[in-house]
Structures are given as structure tokens and as C-alpha cells.
């Protein structure tokens, strides 16, 4: 059974750091790219970061570029999202998703068939 478990969310002050984790089980992690998505209150789900299966290629949306960093540890079947200089507009439910890509990774929801349950991040001003 494929499972993705996102964790690390919580309440954080604006300007502070927070690290999210996504632990994957049920398939060969090394073969899968992983993306991070978020859904803010009243907004559409947004793909913000992704990392290729090897970890050599990453992508960050403009909204988080320079502040968030995605990484993975294939030995631990885990992908991380290091969030720095968080802003109130980063408040959202954050999801991780995994799938196989011929090249690199993607940040469109329809590209992923395996999703975690989400972890809530709340940034106070």
C-alpha cells in the first residue's frame, strides 16, 4: 500500500523557519519524484516545489523561491521542505505527492497519483 505521511506543520511566527517532512512507503522511493503543494484558505491548490527521483533536479515556484528549499534522503524515504523567512501568506495546508516522471518532476496536481494527508502551517504576523 502506497503511503505518504506529511508532518512538521504548526504555528510559526513570521520570519521564522519551519521544516516539513514527507515519509514515503509502499513503493521504490528512488524511482519517484516528489512534489509539495499547498492550499491556502479560499484559494486553489498550488504546486510550490518538486524534486526529481535522484534529487539532482529541483524546482521552486516564484512565491517561495529563495525562501523554501526541497531536498530528499533516499536512504530514509523522506523528502523535506525547509521553509525560511515564512510570511503570513504561507499559511496553508501543505501536501506531498509522489509519482514517476520521465524527466525531472512537476508541480501540476494531475501529474501525481499518490498523495499524503496534509500538514497545517499557520504563520502569525
Amino acid at each position: 500500500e502506497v503511503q505518504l505521511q506529511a508532518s512538521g506543520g504548526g504555528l510559526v511566527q513570521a520570519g521564522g523557519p519551519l521544516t516539513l517532512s514527507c515519509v514515503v512507503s509502499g513503493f521504490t522511493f528512488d524511482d519517484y519524484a516528489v512534489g509539495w503543494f499547498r492550499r491556502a484558505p479560499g484559494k486553489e491548490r498550488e504546486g510550490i516545489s518538486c524534486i526529481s527521483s535522484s534529487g539532482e533536479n529541483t524546482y521552486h515556484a516564484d512565491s517561495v523561491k529563495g525562501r523554501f528549499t526541497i531536498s530528499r534522503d533516499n536512504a530514509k524515504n523522506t523528502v523535506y521542505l525547509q521553509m525560511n523567512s515564512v510570511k503570513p501568506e504561507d499559511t496553508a495546508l501543505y501536501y506531498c505527492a509522489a509519482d514517476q516522471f520521465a524527466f525531472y518532476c512537476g508541480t501540476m496536481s494531475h501529474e501525481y497519483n499518490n498523495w499524503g494527508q496534509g500538514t497545517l502551517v499557520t504563520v502569525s504576523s
Side-chain angles (χ1 to χ4, degrees), residues 3-4 12 18 31 37-38 40 47 51-52 61 64 73 75 78 80 82-83 86 89 91 95 98 103 113:
Q3 288 191 332
L4 292 90
V12 59
L18 192 68
D31 293 340
F37 295 77
R38 68 184 182 186
I51 187 164
S52 62
V64 304
D73 184 340
T78 302
Y80 304 97
Q82 175 66 47
M83 306 166 62
V86 297
E89 51 263 44
T91 294
Y95 302 87
F103 301 99
N113 289 304

